[in-house]
Amino acid sequence: MISYSLTHPVLLRALAESGHGTQILIADGNYPHNTGAAASAVRVPLNLRPGLLTVDQILEVLVEAVPIEAAAVMATADGSTSEAARGYEDVLGPGVPFTMHERFAFYEAARQPDVAVVIASGDVRQYANLLLTIGVRTEAAQ
């Protein structure tokens, strides 16, 4: 038994096989998990039921597991930042740059070959999708 916050074996393996520049999609419950990313991406189903697990809950564990270099979110229909995205900015902090894509541009970004992990959440909020780019480990993190 490991003594670590992240214990999901499939997710641990997928993250261990990822490196700098690899992207992780944490998708909300409305996202097309099977068709909305490259076929080569590892799918991790954490969508137990509507509302569980949320993108926020998954993000809280991921920030302890991998360095995050950048993030991208889906803009709302009127082009504004969703409430969910504002929460992600709070968790990731000011050092992580955010990009906002309109819906179809986000889908296109999420289908790129650098997206190696797709985590299906049970988040029922619209526009709660989050695309993370893994950064580099610093000497202090070793």
Side-chain angles (χ1 to χ4, degrees), residues 41-76:
V42 174
R43 266 66 176 182
V44 181
L46 297 182
N47 49 344
L48 183 62
R49 67 169 167 81
L52 186 67
L53 293 167
T54 65
V55 174
D56 299 276
Q57 291 169 319
I58 296 165
L59 179 60
E60 287 173 14
V61 176
L62 284 183
V63 297
E64 295 175 4
V66 294
I68 306 298
E69 178 177 279
V73 295
M74 185 183 287
T76 65

Side-chain angles (χ1 to χ4, degrees), residues 51-127:
L52 186 67
L53 293 167
T54 65
V55 174
D56 299 276
Q57 291 169 319
I58 296 165
L59 179 60
E60 287 173 14
V61 176
L62 284 183
V63 297
E64 295 175 4
V66 294
I68 306 298
E69 178 177 279
V73 295
M74 185 183 287
T76 65
D78 66 5
S80 64
T81 303
S82 71
E83 195 63 39
R86 284 191 282 281
Y88 307 151
E89 291 173 349
D90 291 341
V91 172
L92 292 170
V96 176
F98 271 76
T99 302
M100 189 165 51
H101 298 291
E102 68 84 28
R103 180 178 162 205
F104 294 104
F106 186 92
Y107 289 151
E108 183 61 30
R111 287 188 180 104
Q112 297 305 304
D114 285 342
V115 178
V117 183
V118 177
I119 304 170
S121 79
D123 207 320
V124 295
R125 298 174 295 175
Q126 289 186 323
Y127 310 106

